[in-house]
Amino acid sequence: MIIDGKQYQSIWLDENDRSRVLVIDQRRLPFFFETRELCSVEDIYNAIRDMTVRGAPLIGAAGALGMYLATLEITGRTNVASHLNNAASYLISCRPTAVNLSWAVSKVLESLKGIDDPELLAETAMITALEICETERENCRKIGENGLPLIREISERKGGKPVNILTHCNAGWLACIDYGTITAPIYLAWEKNIPVHVWVDETRPRNQGARLTAWELGKQGVPYTLITDNAGGHLMQKGMVDLVFTGCDRATRKGDIANKIGTYLKALAAFDNNVPFWTLMPSTSIDFTLSDGLTEIMVEERDQEEVTMVEGYHDGEIIPVRICPDETRAGNWGFDITPARLVTGLITEKGICRADEESIGNLFSEKTK
Ligand code: MRU
């Protein structure tokens, strides 16, 4: 995406020194736009863990490039197979819910099977990791094309009045290398002069909506309004939401969706108010080995401090403040599962399908064989 006149992706390799992975530090946005360089497996692990990088496709890409950095750490004394296997398990252990991470890391590991020469290992890992980045970028572009007709149709039905789209968390270009999943059709609509307006859920506890989605939309000039996480149901009852667009960290082959905590509540409200609830995602977020999301998807539990504290900007600095009594114990589930029956459908790089095993299987028949 173009930010202040310059083209960016949310992860890339330094052109002048291919042993350096560069990322935008998402912990600093929207107050500071800063890049970080990651030069080791450890750096990648920490960046995923501390949310410097986040969002399912991006943590997959970061994990893949982490495997490339692992090949650069090989010396004459390294047991190559165990070094690479350890790096892969270590990277995958960072965040358990998004399947993109294990998928991408395993894909790079697989591409290295049977290679001994360190230079060839590094070359192959780099090519595979960059291919993953490019594929995810292209997936999002296609998701945009496939989602656009839904927005256009509502716009025509409303006689050109703005289409109101509610979104949760951040599934924009920062989370996805480029374009984003939920943002891709929105940007495309905006480019084509279809009036849109986005209701941005702030998305406690980390406020990815307030901090990242609001920043992204603002930079592209797309009209948005920030709302509290609890406002969506009210807006739907008042007819102020035409569509809900959310991302996905892991979908089962039957169409259950793991996404940022609070997504399920939006789906319930959408269902009760006949508002279409679409999940936009690349097929790399579908885990075809799983059938029942509620029992089979592991939901990450995170630090209590994300709930007991909030971060804000004051006097040129990002400041954490406590919002509850000192001794408060907090629960912090990172994701929830929206059952397929509440999902209108999936918008993917291959097209649109219903959230059920048959439709998903038909759209992705090559993956279910
Ligand atoms: O904890 P996060 O910020 O990594 O959670 C991210 C989300 O829930 C996104 O909606 C999801 O990764 C999809 S990104 C296309």
Side-chain angles (χ1 to χ4, degrees), residues 154-201:
I154 293 175
S155 173
E156 283 167 5
R157 213 187 315 136
K158 289 181 77 174
K161 288 209 192 98
V163 178
N164 289 301
I165 301 162
L166 183 141
T167 186
H168 194 65
C169 197
N170 172 264
W173 71 273
L174 289 165
C176 299
I177 297 105
D178 210 348
Y179 304 106
T181 57
I182 70 110
T183 44
I186 295 174
Y187 292 145
L188 216 49
W190 190 240
E191 263 171 51
K192 293 185 184 303
N193 294 319
I194 300 173
V196 286
H197 164 262
V198 185
W199 298 112
V200 177
D201 276 0

Side-chain angles (χ1 to χ4, degrees), residues 183 186-187 198 200 212-224:
T183 44
I186 295 174
Y187 292 145
V198 185
V200 177
L212 305 175
T213 307
W215 179 80
E216 282 195 27
L217 294 171
K219 284 286 173 198
Q220 304 307 316
V222 176
Y224 70 88

Side-chain angles (χ1 to χ4, degrees), residues 51 54-57 95 169 171 176 181 208 248-249 259-260 335:
M51 308 285 272
R54 46 143 300 281
R95 295 197 73 191
C169 197
C176 299
T181 57
Q208 290 95 326
C248 172
D249 285 84
N259 192 51
K260 180 52 55 194
F335 301 90

Side-chain angles (χ1 to χ4, degrees), residues 26 51 53-59 95 98 100 140 168-172 175-176 180-182 203 206 208 212 246-250 258-261 263 280-282 285 300 302 334-335:
Q26 299 193 30
M51 308 285 272
V53 293
R54 46 143 300 281
L58 180 60
I59 63 175
R95 295 197 73 191
N100 304 63
C140 285
H168 194 65
C169 197
N170 172 264
C176 299
T181 57
I182 70 110
T203 320
R206 290 189 66 92
Q208 290 95 326
L212 305 175
T246 74
C248 172
D249 285 84
R250 191 182 293 243
N259 192 51
K260 180 52 55 194
I261 191 83
T263 303
L280 294 86
M281 60 180 178
S285 297
E300 174 185 12
R302 300 182 56 83
F335 301 90

